Amino acid sequence: MAKRIALVSGGMGGIGTSICKALAAAGHTVVTTYSKPGKEQAWLADMKEAGYQAYAYQCDVTDTAACQAMVEKITQDIGPVDILVNNAGITRDATFKRLTKDDWSAVISTNLDSVFNMTKPVIDGMVDRGWGRVVNISSINGQKGQFGQTNYSAAKAGMHGFTMALAQEVAKKGVTVNTISPGYIATEMVMAVPEDVRNKIIAQIPVGRLGKPEEIAGLVNYLASDVSGFMTGANLAINGGQHTM
Ligand code: NDP
């Protein structure tokens, strides 16, 4: 398989770390972003110890100019980005009655504006080179909606609208754009939920367990590969059978 440069936003989080490791294990050079300093040295050391080629750049994905500047720097330092995984995301849950404009905007901006900010500076290069992969990490809650998550559900559903439209615009140029919609995955965020609540969540998953970050990463790896070239504009559910559409 061809070795390429993969840029993963939020690649030091629960799912992001697995995505970075899977792409690196496939031989790609992996670059990730983080917004809060502190974890990057340990992350880089871990990747180096595994023998992977990995880099980390600090960048707030809600900042359009910072994303543009970061991609320019990556291109100069390492080379052009062929694979982009839009994975950075946050939640700020509240019922709509209690939802503030700040919590609405933070979630839309981190989960959805970020997709514009990160894709814009890489897509022309992919088109010019005749090969590229964009993978957007959405959520089951963007497919079915979730009580207390009007902001997150709207942002995650919006990601897939973006996917379907951009996929059509770049389809003839060897560039694919796809969405992955994970269900509940065993990351720190979900494991921090009280055990009784977590058990209620698990009871609704036909497979009878939470998903593993590596299961999401495996699908990203497939979508980032050469053999996935006929799959574009898709929204791939990976949720233990909890919801299909
Ligand atoms: P984490 O909270 O572990 O990771 C999120 C990552 O996003 C962090 O690395 C964080 O970096 C980064 N991030 C957040 N805000 C910004 C910002 N403004 N600029 C740059 N980076 C930012 O979450 P998960 O690994 O659980 O989730 C990854 C993705 O998967 C998210 O999009 C999430 O919505 C989605 N998802 C998760 C599910 C789950 O069950 N865990 C289920 C369905 C979807 P930093 O700390 O440096 O800000």
Side-chain angles (χ1 to χ4, degrees):
M1 192 164 74
K3 311 296 180 211
R4 307 188 191 269
I5 297 172
L7 173 59
V8 180
S9 70
M12 293 180 195
I15 293 175
T17 298
S18 280
I19 292 173
C20 290
K21 286 185 174 169
L23 290 168
H28 303 303
T29 298
V30 173
V31 188
T32 192
T33 71
Y34 60 99
S35 70
K36 297 184 202 92
K39 285 193 215 155
E40 67 280 11
Q41 293 310 332
W43 185 91
L44 284 165
D46 189 31
M47 295 293 278
K48 197 173 167 192
E49 199 181 306
Y52 299 147
Q53 255 200 311
Y55 301 83
Y57 287 71
Q58 187 172 12
C59 176
D60 178 351
V61 294
T62 68
D63 183 335
T64 310
C67 291
Q68 168 79 39
M70 177 186 66
V71 169
E72 280 168 17
K73 184 136 186 24
I74 292 168
T75 308
Q76 276 168 15
D77 295 350
I78 309 164
V81 173
D82 297 311
I83 299 162
L84 171 66
V85 184
N86 286 308
N87 166 74
I90 58 164
T91 52
R92 294 278 185 279
D93 297 353
T95 57
F96 189 63
K97 189 179 170 69
R98 294 178 190 280
L99 187 70
T100 63
K101 181 65 200 302
D102 279 355
D103 284 346
W104 169 266
S105 300
V107 167
I108 297 294
S109 149
T110 308
N111 294 279
L112 186 56
D113 290 352
S114 62
V115 174
F116 173 89
N117 293 339
M118 294 289 287
T119 309
K120 189 77 174 165
V122 302
I123 198 76
D124 288 350
M126 291 179 181
V127 166
D128 290 347
R129 293 187 299 278
W131 198 96
R133 298 286 184 262
V134 179
V135 182
N136 295 318
I137 308 298
S138 178
S139 165
I140 186 174
N141 295 342
Q143 296 178 297
K144 69 172 186 57
Q146 175 62 32
F147 186 97
Q149 286 195 329
T150 48
N151 50 0
Y152 186 77
S153 301
K156 292 303 197 185
M159 283 177 106
H160 187 56
F162 173 92
T163 289
M164 291 188 290
L166 184 62
Q168 293 176 38
E169 293 183 21
V170 297
K172 287 201 169 64
K173 304 292 182 185
V175 180
T176 68
V177 188
N178 289 288
T179 302
I180 295 177
S181 290
Y184 288 91
I185 307 301
T187 59
E188 272 176 35
M189 188 172 77
V190 173
M191 295 314 280
V193 171
E195 199 179 353
D196 57 325
V197 178
R198 207 166 61 234
N199 286 339
K200 281 185 193 150
I201 292 172
I202 294 170
Q204 291 169 9
I205 304 172
V207 167
R209 63 168 174 86
L210 298 170
K212 299 175 192 163
E214 310 87 73
E215 291 170 330
I216 307 303
L219 186 52
V220 172
N221 223 357
Y222 168 73
L223 291 174
S225 70
D226 285 315
V227 292
S228 69
F230 199 55
M231 179 172 282
T232 196
N235 189 355
L236 300 158
I238 177 160
N239 58 36
Q242 199 179 356
H243 179 79
T244 52
M245 64 177 270

